[in-house]
Amino acid sequence: MSKLEQIEKSVAELSPEELKAFAAWFEALKADMWDRQIEADAKAGRLDKLAEQALADHRAGRTSPSESHG
């Protein structure tokens, strides 16, 4: 049985409370991994072109204000 299959089997056997806790932990893990990837991309300059395009669009009047939902 592969490591993934073992994890799937273990998750399937969790109680509803344990599954809820696992899901919260997994979402936090994914968010942390996403944050680290964005940070690495920013440091490597991979987002520069997108930022430049967004600023150019804004300067050219191709943007609109976002609505505040507070």
Side-chain angles (χ1 to χ4, degrees):
M1 181 180 294
S2 73
K3 190 181 274 189
L4 179 58
E5 290 169 330
Q6 291 172 356
I7 292 169
E8 289 171 345
K9 182 179 183 304
S10 294
V11 169
E13 294 172 354
L14 294 174
S15 71
E17 295 81 21
E18 291 171 324
L19 184 58
K20 185 177 178 180
F22 172 78
W25 169 83
F26 190 68
E27 286 301 316
L29 175 66
K30 290 190 321 181
D32 184 54
M33 291 171 69
W34 173 258
D35 290 346
R36 284 186 272 144
Q37 183 62 54
I38 291 294
E39 185 177 331
D41 287 348
K43 285 181 180 177
R46 288 188 284 269
L47 303 178
D48 292 352
K49 186 174 181 179
L50 293 173
E52 290 169 11
Q53 182 62 52
L55 290 171
D57 287 344
H58 182 69
R59 288 186 198 109
R62 293 187 294 261
T63 61
S64 59
S66 63
E67 294 183 29
S68 176
H69 299 285

